[in-house]
Amino acid sequence: MSKILFVVTGADTWTLADGTAHPTGFWAEEAVAPYEAFRAAGHEVVVATPGGVEPTVDRASLAAEVNGGQENADRVAKALESFTELRHPVRLEDVRLDDYAAVFYPGGHGPMEDLAENADSGRLLARALESGRPLGVVCHGPAALLAAVGADGTNVFAGYEIAAFTNAEETQAGLADRAKWLLQDRLTEAGVTVREGEPWAPHVVTDRNLVTGQNPASSAPLAEELLKRLG
């Protein structure tokens, strides 16, 4: 079967507008649900992070209230322990796209801190888009798209339709008025069309080889869409 590359944030804090370092990382469900789907289908998963640092899970993503209760929160935490590839990431800088059949970016606020400005990630995304291989990005993961700028200075995703964590969701989560910038706004400014679904409900948008999801609940259906494209 195929190898799927997970590009995961290496940040464990998100700098707010007032300079406060807000604890973050990657969002558990957005990594676990696709990982379980890909592994169940027989695919191999390789994790890459900037500098090859071991990624940090956002502790908030393990809380009962964001996982539909304690039982599922415990299941997600246990699944995360089984996701051993997270503990042995490769360096994003060393990744060869040709080694992978698909690329996936989970979210959490971490990507807004590092991947939004990471040129290596931006180049990888541009190559993945151009290659036609399935490219999946969920929730705050689309922050990474901001770094995918072509030689002419425009974003390579300009003109694409995507789903991403919305201003409404950031407001309801209580962080919109504390953020330096909002993801939906910055993507729109870059020429990307954000198709907004209902807050917190699964919402997946496909445009050519790009498959995007709005929020944590979108990660499992996004993974299913990627698997269909892998055949």
Side-chain angles (χ1 to χ4, degrees), residues 27-87:
W27 198 260
E29 181 181 0
E30 295 166 25
V32 164
Y35 175 76
E36 290 183 324
F38 298 152
R39 293 292 292 144
H43 298 293
E44 181 183 344
V45 168
V46 175
V47 173
T49 62
V53 301
E54 186 174 337
T56 299
V57 64
D58 188 325
R59 303 305 301 177
S61 69
L62 299 174
E65 56 267 28
V66 299
N67 286 290
Q70 191 60 51
E71 184 177 348
N72 198 51
D74 291 343
R75 191 199 71 77
V76 169
K78 187 167 187 198
L80 205 56
E81 288 176 16
S82 302
F83 191 166
T84 54
E85 293 89 344
L86 284 166
R87 296 194 279 282

Side-chain angles (χ1 to χ4, degrees), residues 148-158:
V149 178
D152 61 356
T154 62
N155 193 288
V156 301
F157 292 93

